[in-house]
Amino acid sequence: MRGLEKPQPPANVSPDGQEPRRFVDAEQGFLADLEGRPNKVGFARSEFNQLDKAKLRQVMYGEQGSICVYCERRLSEGGSPRVEHWRPVNAAPELALHWNNLYLSCSTRDTCDNRKGAGPLKAKDTDPDLPWPTDFTYEDIVGFNTAGYMYVRSDVTLDEPTRSALELAIDDREYGGQRRRAILNLNHPTLRAARSAALDSERTRLRQSFGQHTPSAEERAVRASQILVRAPLPEHVSIRVAWLRKTLGHGS
């Protein structure tokens, strides 16, 4: 999970052959009609489904570096990854067409949006949702160890609802005497193995680049910066950067 910046939404979200319509106009029209609707959730889903998702994805691939907003797996630009509502439509229908609420998620069966479903990113119903990636630098909050295990760092200051929600997003947790299933399941064995493999590939690249010379902290930092501007981003970019910056295992 990483923070990101979203560019302007698509200039046209109408299906081909229909009158062009800007995303911002679609949202404004939707909000104007929403108030008087008895079934706001159903109306919100219907209006969202009328958007041309391929035109949304075209912009969203770029902002996310073609990786899943949750697990950082590669998203195939020739495929149809899910356009995910960070805050679910059934809980916040007014955000169904809000640009900062829309992200691309992989379609893996046991993790990410498939695992989350229509549920919120929170530990308690009374808590706020996890902040949008546009408002929060998740890469500064989550950590990794060399085996690819993800955790919420203990050496950063977080309010309790955010910490609890992040912990539950990553792993199964005990809350109120009950075992809760991880919302996103980001420590699924397949993901841990993939992050560990990404780490191995960075080690290999560094050896190939520097040979017998041990790279300095500055040289490693330069390499991390170069990774972060690649298009597309490499899979599991966060653990790669954490290793290059020597922050693996910090706050575990």
Side-chain angles (χ1 to χ4, degrees), residues 13-15 21 23 26 46-54 56 96-97 102:
V13 291
S14 295
R21 182 175 54 151
F23 181 91
S46 174
E47 290 294 294
F48 177 70
N49 287 337
Q50 290 181 41
L51 304 181
D52 188 330
K53 304 303 187 302
L56 294 180
L97 272 67
L102 301 179

Side-chain angles (χ1 to χ4, degrees), residues 25-205:
D25 294 333
E27 182 185 20
Q28 290 175 359
F30 158 69
L31 290 174
D33 290 343
L34 180 66
E35 188 60 34
R37 298 284 174 163
N39 181 1
K40 290 181 170 55
V41 172
F43 177 68
R45 293 191 184 282
S46 174
E47 290 294 294
F48 177 70
N49 287 337
Q50 290 181 41
L51 304 181
D52 188 330
K53 304 303 187 302
K55 292 170 182 171
L56 294 180
R57 293 186 190 101
Q58 187 174 10
V59 175
M60 296 166 81
Y61 282 126
E63 70 192 26
Q64 291 181 208
S66 297
I67 59 175
C68 174
V69 69
Y70 297 127
C71 72
E72 302 184 3
R73 285 186 180 101
R74 169 74 55 239
L75 297 171
S76 171
E77 296 193 22
S80 300
R82 294 171 181 268
V83 179
E84 150 75 341
H85 289 90
W86 187 272
R87 299 177 189 173
V89 174
N90 61 348
E94 70 279 5
L95 297 176
L97 272 67
H98 188 65
W99 188 230
N100 282 3
N101 197 40
L102 301 179
Y103 301 89
L104 295 179
S105 174
C106 68
S107 56
T108 309
R109 177 180 176 182
D110 296 320
T111 69
C112 304
D113 182 48
N114 265 336
R115 175 71 166 230
K116 175 175 172 276
L121 287 164
K122 59 175 75 175
K124 298 178 183 176
D125 291 340
T126 54
D127 287 342
D129 293 84
L130 276 179
W132 288 317
T134 51
D135 298 335
F136 200 73
T137 53
Y138 285 96
E139 64 271 28
D140 295 335
I141 305 302
V142 298
F144 307 91
N145 66 18
T146 55
Y149 180 82
M150 178 190 286
Y151 56 87
V152 182
R153 292 175 60 157
S154 62
D155 60 346
V156 296
T157 301
L158 279 177
D159 60 81
E160 187 55 37
T162 300
R163 182 174 292 279
S164 296
L166 259 178
E167 289 175 344
L168 187 58
I170 294 170
D171 274 318
D172 294 350
R173 290 280 166 174
E174 192 85 22
Y175 285 113
Q178 292 186 331
R179 191 70 173 170
R180 299 272 304 278
R181 286 196 343 142
I183 301 170
L184 300 172
N185 202 20
L186 296 181
N187 271 331
H188 187 281
T190 301
L191 281 176
R192 294 201 308 269
R195 288 193 287 259
S196 180
L199 197 58
D200 288 341
S201 73
E202 276 315 310
R203 289 193 185 99
T204 299
R205 288 188 180 95

